[in-house]
Amino acid sequence: MTTYYSEYSKVYVSVDCIIFGFDEGQLRVLIGKRQLDPGRGEWSLYGGFVGTNESIDDAANRTLFELTGLRNLYMRQVGAFGSIDRDPGERVVSIAYYALINVKDYDDELRKHHGVEWVNIKDLPPMYSDHRDMIRRARKMMQEKIKTEPISFRLLPSLFTLTQLQRLYEAVNGEEVDKRNFRKRVKEMEFIEKTELIDKTGSKRGAYLYRFNSNTYYEDPNFKL
């Protein structure tokens, strides 16, 4: 073992994962009670320390898989959080990531096993350290991304109604949009395909189901919602 940098103090590096889901018209975040000190029993994001032989991206992917059992999730780095007193245990710098999943794809037994819950983003409780700040920054990034990238389809089922798409867009941005203008813009997007299938769960007349055409999207450089 070398003695390089021995004159410097050691700093721990961790990752924290902000997992967003969309259910019952609400944007939700997966959080749970901490099961270790410091902060045992406080609401917290799910995370862990970066291993000696893994990158921070690998650590985030591993953490997401441990929690959800899902691979190839949409994941983006939010940023580094390194206030000196953010962790009362040791000097810890955390790299936050946010991920998007379809709530229906997440095995509820696995959720119970890890002791986490889907909480409405509007009803977040007090949380450990700077975890609420992480969520706030991640949501702001989502609000910017959703204008230029079709990330909303990561949160929806493969077939969806225009009402579901509008409700998701409103939940992410925290404000209502005009229904007529929204649908006009959506129908101009070739990568959103109307199917012949009809969803009748909301009314007898029903509503047409749509789907995302990824091939068409990548051919359209002018996407903006």
Side-chain angles (χ1 to χ4, degrees):
M1 180 179 294
T2 67
T3 57
Y4 299 136
Y5 314 126
S6 59
E7 68 271 29
Y8 298 102
S9 59
K10 298 296 186 292
V11 176
Y12 292 90
V13 179
S14 67
V15 294
D16 281 296
C17 295
I18 305 140
I19 303 176
F20 291 112
F22 180 70
D23 191 35
E24 298 180 346
Q26 301 294 333
L27 183 65
R28 302 180 186 275
V29 186
L30 201 59
I31 62 175
K33 297 288 186 71
R34 279 177 66 87
Q35 300 177 10
L36 72 163
D37 294 319
R40 186 185 297 271
E42 295 182 39
W43 287 102
S44 169
L45 295 168
Y46 193 86
F49 288 99
V50 178
T52 304
N53 298 313
E54 64 181 356
S55 68
I56 54 174
D57 284 355
D58 288 341
N61 277 308
R62 170 180 55 78
T63 301
L64 284 171
F65 179 72
E66 289 173 355
L67 180 59
T68 68
L70 302 172
R71 295 191 184 277
N72 301 317
L73 295 175
Y74 178 93
M75 181 186 80
R76 293 293 185 272
Q77 188 181 122
V78 177
F81 292 76
S83 297
I84 295 174
D85 58 351
R86 65 174 303 275
D87 190 311
E90 294 285 353
R91 182 78 167 92
V92 180
V93 173
S94 182
I95 314 299
Y97 289 79
Y98 81 89
L100 309 179
I101 70 173
N102 185 335
V103 172
K104 306 302 181 187
D105 291 338
Y106 186 24
D107 186 338
D108 203 51
E109 291 302 316
L110 190 58
R111 179 190 65 78
K112 294 177 182 177
H113 172 75
H114 287 289
V116 291
E117 299 180 20
W118 287 110
V119 176
N120 190 327
I121 197 167
K122 295 187 293 186
D123 301 322
L124 287 177
M127 297 183 69
Y128 176 74
S129 186
D130 47 13
H131 288 193
R132 281 180 65 114
D133 291 335
M134 291 180 179
I135 294 172
R136 189 178 301 111
R137 190 186 299 183
R139 186 184 188 186
K140 187 174 181 179
M141 289 180 63
M142 281 182 63
Q143 290 170 344
E144 293 301 316
K145 284 284 187 183
I146 205 171
K147 297 176 183 176
T148 58
E149 296 181 20
I151 63 173
S152 54
F153 303 106
R154 304 280 184 165
L155 297 165
L156 292 169
S158 57
L159 294 173
F160 53 87
T161 66
L162 292 185
T163 297
Q164 286 177 301
L165 182 60
Q166 180 180 335
R167 294 288 178 265
L168 171 58
Y169 192 76
E170 291 173 335
V172 170
N173 287 284
E175 60 185 16
E176 294 184 2
V177 299
D178 180 77
K179 179 179 178 179
R180 181 177 297 179
N181 290 336
F182 181 83
R183 295 194 174 203
K184 181 180 178 180
R185 284 183 289 168
V186 167
K187 289 179 180 179
E188 292 172 351
M189 299 172 189
E190 295 183 356
F191 53 83
I192 299 180
E193 293 182 337
K194 182 179 180 180
T195 73
E196 296 303 314
L197 301 173
I198 296 179
D199 175 23
K200 293 188 176 181
T201 57
S203 66
K204 290 183 179 180
R205 181 181 178 184
Y208 278 102
L209 289 165
Y210 290 73
R211 64 188 171 200
F212 171 59
N213 186 327
S214 59
N215 294 328
T216 304
Y217 163 68
Y218 291 117
E219 296 170 359
D220 179 3
N222 300 314
F223 168 73
K224 188 163 185 177
L225 186 58

